[in-house]
Amino acid sequence: MDKALVIGDTALTSRLIVGTGKYKTFEIMRAAHEASGAHMVTVAIRRVNLDRSKGESLLDYIDLKRYTLLPNTAGCYTAEDAIRTAHLAREACRTDMIKLEVIGDERTLLPDNEALLEATRALVKEGFVVMPYTNDDPIMAKKLEDAGAACVMPLAAPIGSGMGVQNRLNIQFILESVKVPVIVDAGVGTASDAAIAMELGVDGVLMNTAIAGAQDPVRMAHAMRLAVEAGREAFLAGRIPKKTYATASSPLEGVVK
């Protein structure tokens, strides 16, 4: 029996976490969410209309009885800005959960890990359940865990690049370094990328562009659901060891020559 993925006090029914950006319409987004089977949906607080009295909002298309809302601090470039945005998210979304992003470079969108660690420490002290987006550095992952992060979310590749897991060894090192859940965040491009990440033993995968940017987002969402489930099953099953030379599928021992 597989154990559930638990973040803070929330037990997730799916190991696939999906985003809300870049969809052509809110209707497509809603259909993709349903096809993904996701339990948790992340929303960029700085890019969403939180005041529903001022027009249509993507929040109108998320069933909060069905999905756990995970606000994030996308677009923040300093610890102070990320902390401020987290407080806004807590007030607007009535949750202590926050996907913490502090970007250090506009071109690569790689995280500023020094500011990320600072913001994590501050928000944990204020009772937030912090889910930090970080690079694939096992040293930083351990520091974030020690700072009180509820999980660590290393990138597979730069945000929106679709390049898949670029450094499997570092992901494995992170898995060995921390006891909190490890969720691959950013860089997944297609279903095989998600399956590979899960086969490494990570606890979940978060993605947005790979689904929203697909030619058929709803179908891709379903493919990602199957890939995450298959990857997890393969990890639990335990793959055969890799060998340099062939091994016969039908052993020759006992065969009369």
mmCIF file of all heavy atoms in Angstrom, residues 117 120-121 138-149 178:
data_model
loop_
_atom_site.group_PDB
_atom_site.id
_atom_site.type_symbol
_atom_site.label_atom_id
_atom_site.label_comp_id
_atom_site.label_asym_id
_atom_site.label_seq_id
_atom_site.Cartn_x
_atom_site.Cartn_y
_atom_site.Cartn_z
ATOM 1 N N LEU A 117 15.411 31.428 1.272
ATOM 2 C CA LEU A 117 15.637 30.894 2.611
ATOM 3 C C LEU A 117 15.218 31.912 3.664
ATOM 4 O O LEU A 117 14.591 31.564 4.679
ATOM 5 C CB LEU A 117 17.112 30.527 2.772
ATOM 6 C CG LEU A 117 17.515 29.822 4.067
ATOM 7 C CD1 LEU A 117 16.739 28.535 4.258
ATOM 8 C CD2 LEU A 117 19.022 29.545 4.053
ATOM 9 N N THR A 120 11.440 31.950 3.768
ATOM 10 C CA THR A 120 10.934 30.707 4.365
ATOM 11 C C THR A 120 10.991 30.778 5.874
ATOM 12 O O THR A 120 10.016 30.459 6.570
ATOM 13 C CB THR A 120 11.751 29.499 3.861
ATOM 14 O OG1 THR A 120 11.591 29.367 2.445
ATOM 15 C CG2 THR A 120 11.294 28.218 4.542
ATOM 16 N N ARG A 121 12.118 31.208 6.415
ATOM 17 C CA ARG A 121 12.271 31.295 7.876
ATOM 18 C C ARG A 121 11.237 32.248 8.474
ATOM 19 O O ARG A 121 10.612 31.943 9.490
ATOM 20 C CB ARG A 121 13.686 31.756 8.211
ATOM 21 C CG ARG A 121 14.750 30.700 7.985
ATOM 22 C CD ARG A 121 16.144 31.277 8.118
ATOM 23 N NE ARG A 121 17.176 30.252 8.048
ATOM 24 C CZ ARG A 121 18.428 30.474 7.671
ATOM 25 N NH1 ARG A 121 18.813 31.716 7.352
ATOM 26 N NH2 ARG A 121 19.313 29.490 7.625
ATOM 27 N N PRO A 138 20.903 19.950 -3.469
ATOM 28 C CA PRO A 138 20.589 19.217 -2.237
ATOM 29 C C PRO A 138 20.983 19.963 -0.970
ATOM 30 O O PRO A 138 20.354 19.776 0.076
ATOM 31 C CB PRO A 138 21.382 17.908 -2.391
ATOM 32 C CG PRO A 138 22.411 18.190 -3.423
ATOM 33 C CD PRO A 138 21.832 19.203 -4.336
ATOM 34 N N ILE A 139 22.015 20.811 -1.037
ATOM 35 C CA ILE A 139 22.427 21.581 0.135
ATOM 36 C C ILE A 139 21.332 22.580 0.506
ATOM 37 O O ILE A 139 20.940 22.707 1.671
ATOM 38 C CB ILE A 139 23.754 22.316 -0.118
ATOM 39 C CG1 ILE A 139 24.830 21.346 -0.618
ATOM 40 C CG2 ILE A 139 24.198 23.031 1.147
ATOM 41 C CD1 ILE A 139 25.106 20.188 0.297
ATOM 42 N N MET A 140 20.820 23.303 -0.501
ATOM 43 C CA MET A 140 19.754 24.258 -0.245
ATOM 44 C C MET A 140 18.473 23.553 0.193
ATOM 45 O O MET A 140 17.749 24.047 1.060
ATOM 46 C CB MET A 140 19.487 25.113 -1.488
ATOM 47 C CG MET A 140 18.382 26.149 -1.316
ATOM 48 S SD MET A 140 18.601 27.245 0.116
ATOM 49 C CE MET A 140 20.146 28.043 -0.311
ATOM 50 N N ALA A 141 18.201 22.398 -0.377
ATOM 51 C CA ALA A 141 17.007 21.643 0.018
ATOM 52 C C ALA A 141 17.049 21.316 1.509
ATOM 53 O O ALA A 141 16.046 21.458 2.219
ATOM 54 C CB ALA A 141 16.902 20.361 -0.808
ATOM 55 N N LYS A 142 18.211 20.911 1.989
ATOM 56 C CA LYS A 142 18.362 20.599 3.409
ATOM 57 C C LYS A 142 18.206 21.846 4.265
ATOM 58 O O LYS A 142 17.582 21.808 5.339
ATOM 59 C CB LYS A 142 19.729 19.944 3.645
ATOM 60 C CG LYS A 142 19.993 19.570 5.100
ATOM 61 C CD LYS A 142 18.928 18.616 5.637
ATOM 62 C CE LYS A 142 19.237 18.215 7.077
ATOM 63 N NZ LYS A 142 18.115 17.436 7.681
ATOM 64 N N LYS A 143 18.740 22.973 3.814
ATOM 65 C CA LYS A 143 18.606 24.220 4.567
ATOM 66 C C LYS A 143 17.133 24.648 4.651
ATOM 67 O O LYS A 143 16.683 25.144 5.694
ATOM 68 C CB LYS A 143 19.436 25.323 3.914
ATOM 69 C CG LYS A 143 20.944 25.155 4.100
ATOM 70 C CD LYS A 143 21.706 26.321 3.476
ATOM 71 C CE LYS A 143 23.199 26.171 3.706
ATOM 72 N NZ LYS A 143 23.976 27.297 3.140
ATOM 73 N N LEU A 144 16.397 24.457 3.573
ATOM 74 C CA LEU A 144 14.975 24.812 3.575
ATOM 75 C C LEU A 144 14.201 23.906 4.522
ATOM 76 O O LEU A 144 13.305 24.356 5.241
ATOM 77 C CB LEU A 144 14.419 24.713 2.153
ATOM 78 C CG LEU A 144 14.899 25.799 1.190
ATOM 79 C CD1 LEU A 144 14.551 25.432 -0.242
ATOM 80 C CD2 LEU A 144 14.296 27.163 1.549
ATOM 81 N N GLU A 145 14.546 22.621 4.540
ATOM 82 C CA GLU A 145 13.904 21.701 5.482
ATOM 83 C C GLU A 145 14.198 22.133 6.915
ATOM 84 O O GLU A 145 13.292 22.185 7.768
ATOM 85 C CB GLU A 145 14.397 20.279 5.252
ATOM 86 C CG GLU A 145 13.789 19.267 6.231
ATOM 87 C CD GLU A 145 14.384 17.887 6.086
ATOM 88 O OE1 GLU A 145 15.630 17.782 5.989
ATOM 89 O OE2 GLU A 145 13.612 16.909 6.087
ATOM 90 N N ASP A 146 15.452 22.463 7.195
ATOM 91 C CA ASP A 146 15.838 22.883 8.537
ATOM 92 C C ASP A 146 15.144 24.190 8.931
ATOM 93 O O ASP A 146 14.920 24.447 10.118
ATOM 94 C CB ASP A 146 17.354 23.061 8.622
ATOM 95 C CG ASP A 146 18.107 21.741 8.520
ATOM 96 O OD1 ASP A 146 17.473 20.679 8.703
ATOM 97 O OD2 ASP A 146 19.326 21.774 8.236
ATOM 98 N N ALA A 147 14.802 25.013 7.931
ATOM 99 C CA ALA A 147 14.111 26.277 8.189
ATOM 100 C C ALA A 147 12.628 26.072 8.464
ATOM 101 O O ALA A 147 11.926 27.020 8.834
ATOM 102 C CB ALA A 147 14.293 27.231 7.007
ATOM 103 N N GLY A 148 12.140 24.844 8.264
ATOM 104 C CA GLY A 148 10.752 24.547 8.574
ATOM 105 C C GLY A 148 9.839 24.365 7.379
ATOM 106 O O GLY A 148 8.611 24.272 7.535
ATOM 107 N N ALA A 149 10.403 24.302 6.162
ATOM 108 C CA ALA A 149 9.578 24.107 4.970
ATOM 109 C C ALA A 149 8.812 22.794 5.071
ATOM 110 O O ALA A 149 9.342 21.778 5.538
ATOM 111 C CB ALA A 149 10.449 24.114 3.721
ATOM 112 N N VAL A 178 16.744 14.972 2.462
ATOM 113 C CA VAL A 178 15.632 15.515 3.256
ATOM 114 C C VAL A 178 14.609 14.433 3.567
ATOM 115 O O VAL A 178 14.528 13.403 2.884
ATOM 116 C CB VAL A 178 14.936 16.686 2.512
ATOM 117 C CG1 VAL A 178 15.935 17.788 2.208
ATOM 118 C CG2 VAL A 178 14.253 16.200 1.244
#
